[in-house]
Amino acid sequence: MCKQYLLFVLFVIPFFLFAQKKKKDLYDIQHISGIIIDANIDDWENKLYNLKSDVWSYAVASDKTKIYAAVIIKDKKLMDEAIRNGILFNISYSDKKMDGARIIYPKFNLEKLENSIADDPEEGRTIVQEELLQSTKGYYVAGFDKVRDGLLARNNQYGIKALCKIDESGSLVYECEIPLHLIKFKTSTIVAQLAVNTLYFSRQKMSAGMRSSGYHTRGISKPTLKNPYTENTDVWFSGIIK
């Protein structure tokens, strides 16, 4: 009897641990009202996940009419990548981790930033980052209903808003707001993704796309690329949004 019980425990525990790990991979889409898109996260009431991290913190929320995202980036290298390539907010149409309605912001031509950083790495970075964040005129969007894919003006008729600022501590603060009626959901429970569009993330996404399309890379030498950060720079959330 004891032997059977031991075998049962040894068989069940790995599945239990796997389920626990899988559950932790998804953060909650929280219900928060009164959010104003001003790159000031006071109205999130300290509900961002990973707040004690030296890399980044994040949250997604909904008030039944809109879906929101907030990010704080403290790591300077990650901040550079966010300003170079943008922060991705991807809202799946269902509870499957797939591309859905997507917005990338900010997104710039960074020749000016690179030249300034070369002249003065610290002061140049701060000054030009602030100039770029103030000068951006729109967002890259895709996958929305009745919104054309491509560059969307900051002042648009759809109610899509995003804003980035560098706060007093030198961290990059990001907020985004999207009306839910702009997305054709297939289920009431959905997942959403927040990601800094790093080189590592882009390569991983490209690799996944090639595998899913059946593209064969046998015999082709591929450079290995490791995540340069101590944490994942993309996270997923799950919750009921309607």
Side-chain angles (χ1 to χ4, degrees), residues 113-170:
L113 174 61
E114 290 169 352
N115 290 339
S116 181
I117 289 176
D119 294 336
D120 188 334
E122 290 305 319
E123 185 179 358
R125 175 185 288 110
T126 302
I127 292 172
V128 178
Q129 282 178 341
E130 290 176 348
E131 288 180 358
L132 287 170
L133 292 174
Q134 291 172 6
S135 65
T136 180
K137 296 181 180 179
Y139 326 111
Y140 174 79
V141 297
F144 288 92
D145 186 32
K146 299 179 181 177
V147 181
R148 182 179 298 176
D149 291 358
L151 188 65
L152 179 67
R154 288 182 64 178
N155 297 320
N156 59 81
Q157 70 269 36
Y158 303 106
I160 296 175
K161 299 177 185 176
L163 188 63
C164 277
K165 286 184 180 178
I166 299 172
D167 68 10
E168 294 178 356
S169 70

Side-chain angles (χ1 to χ4, degrees), residues 32-210:
I32 305 174
S33 59
I35 294 175
I36 299 172
I37 305 303
D38 55 4
N40 182 334
I41 52 89
D42 288 347
D43 43 9
W44 289 78
E45 301 175 348
N46 293 321
K47 290 184 178 179
L48 272 69
Y49 293 104
N50 212 30
L51 265 176
K52 295 182 179 180
S53 169
D54 292 329
V55 180
W56 72 317
S57 309
Y58 34 77
V60 172
S62 173
D63 61 5
K64 302 298 184 181
T65 61
K66 297 176 182 177
I67 189 166
Y68 306 89
V71 169
I72 300 175
I73 299 177
K74 297 177 183 177
D75 184 274
K76 299 304 180 184
K77 291 182 180 179
L78 186 60
M79 189 187 302
D80 282 347
E81 291 212 73
I83 293 181
R84 286 173 186 276
N85 304 311
I87 295 171
L88 167 70
F89 186 22
N90 169 36
I91 305 134
S92 180
Y93 307 122
S94 68
D95 59 354
K96 307 297 182 184
K97 290 183 178 181
M98 299 179 68
D99 284 345
R102 309 178 296 285
I103 175 171
I104 297 177
Y105 174 84
K107 200 167 181 67
F108 307 101
N109 180 342
L110 293 177
E111 183 179 353
K112 183 178 180 182
L113 174 61
E114 290 169 352
N115 290 339
S116 181
I117 289 176
D119 294 336
D120 188 334
E122 290 305 319
E123 185 179 358
R125 175 185 288 110
T126 302
I127 292 172
V128 178
Q129 282 178 341
E130 290 176 348
E131 288 180 358
L132 287 170
L133 292 174
Q134 291 172 6
S135 65
T136 180
K137 296 181 180 179
Y139 326 111
Y140 174 79
V141 297
F144 288 92
D145 186 32
K146 299 179 181 177
V147 181
R148 182 179 298 176
D149 291 358
L151 188 65
L152 179 67
R154 288 182 64 178
N155 297 320
N156 59 81
Q157 70 269 36
Y158 303 106
I160 296 175
K161 299 177 185 176
L163 188 63
C164 277
K165 286 184 180 178
I166 299 172
D167 68 10
E168 294 178 356
S169 70
S171 299
L172 183 70
V173 182
Y174 161 98
E175 279 190 307
C176 183
E177 168 187 298
I178 296 170
L180 292 174
H181 70 82
L182 296 177
I183 306 170
K184 283 189 175 180
F185 293 108
K186 298 177 181 178
T187 57
S188 58
T189 299
I190 61 103
V191 294
Q193 178 186 31
L194 274 174
V196 180
N197 200 18
T198 64
L199 177 61
Y200 174 77
F201 175 76
S202 299
R203 291 275 182 89
Q204 293 292 101
K205 198 166 180 64
M206 184 183 300
S207 242
M210 291 168 69

